[in-house]
């Protein structure tokens, strides 16, 4: 059986959702969204995240393009990728604003 192909928007929103699928990554994104400029420093000092796992979380967010910057020590600076942030907002809005079909009797309550 051939592998089913999905559209680019579907693949992209799935990648964003996967990258955001950990509470630490949500908190990292919230923290960085509040910054006026690239953040220089150790994010584990700002959030309750163990230093050993910070790089792993930042890498996952960077791989899908939600953040940008240098995450390898000693160069530690990162910020929201504003273009991809806005694109993610658009994709999630489109997804969650879909019109649901009318509920049928006997279906899930």
């Amino acid at each position: 059986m051939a592998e089913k192909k999905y559209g680019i928007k579907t693949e992209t929103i799935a990648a964003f959702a996967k990258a955001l699928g950990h509470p630490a990554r949500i908190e990292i994104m919230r923290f960085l969204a509040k910054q006026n400029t690239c953040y220089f420093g150790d994010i584990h000092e700002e959030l309750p995240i163990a230093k050993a796992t910070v790089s792993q979380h930042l890498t996952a967010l960077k791989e899908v393009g939600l953040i940008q910057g240098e995450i390898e020590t000693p160069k530690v600076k990162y910020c929201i990728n504003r273009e991809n942030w806005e694109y993610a907002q658009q994709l999630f809005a489109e997804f969650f604003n879909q019109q649901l079909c009318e509920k049928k009797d006997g279906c899930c309550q």
Side-chain angles (χ1 to χ4, degrees), residues 30-43:
R30 283 185 174 148
F31 175 77
L32 292 177
K34 295 176 185 175
Q35 305 303 310
N36 290 327
T37 185
C38 280
Y39 178 75
F40 292 85
D42 292 326
I43 207 159

Side-chain angles (χ1 to χ4, degrees), residues 3-102:
E3 184 177 329
K4 187 170 183 167
K5 301 286 183 184
Y6 298 99
I8 188 71
K9 282 186 172 184
T10 300
E11 294 284 348
T12 303
I13 194 172
F16 286 154
K18 183 177 179 181
L20 294 170
H22 191 286
R25 295 180 194 153
I26 298 290
E27 288 301 315
I28 288 169
M29 293 301 292
R30 283 185 174 148
F31 175 77
L32 292 177
K34 295 176 185 175
Q35 305 303 310
N36 290 327
T37 185
C38 280
Y39 178 75
F40 292 85
D42 292 326
I43 207 159
H44 75 278
E45 293 176 1
E46 302 294 331
L47 300 172
I49 301 170
K51 187 175 185 176
T53 61
V54 170
S55 180
Q56 175 187 356
H57 291 306
L58 291 170
T59 298
L61 293 168
K62 188 175 178 183
E63 283 176 351
V64 297
L66 288 172
I67 66 170
Q68 57 192 15
E70 300 291 329
I71 58 175
E72 316 271 319
T73 53
K75 298 177 186 175
V76 185
K77 65 175 183 175
Y78 21 78
C79 58
I80 296 287
N81 179 319
R82 293 180 181 273
E83 183 178 328
N84 286 340
W85 174 271
E86 290 170 8
Y87 187 48
Q89 286 178 317
Q90 174 193 336
L91 291 177
F92 281 106
E94 287 174 10
F95 178 75
F96 284 111
N97 288 326
Q98 293 178 80
Q99 188 68 29
L100 297 177
C101 61
E102 193 171 316

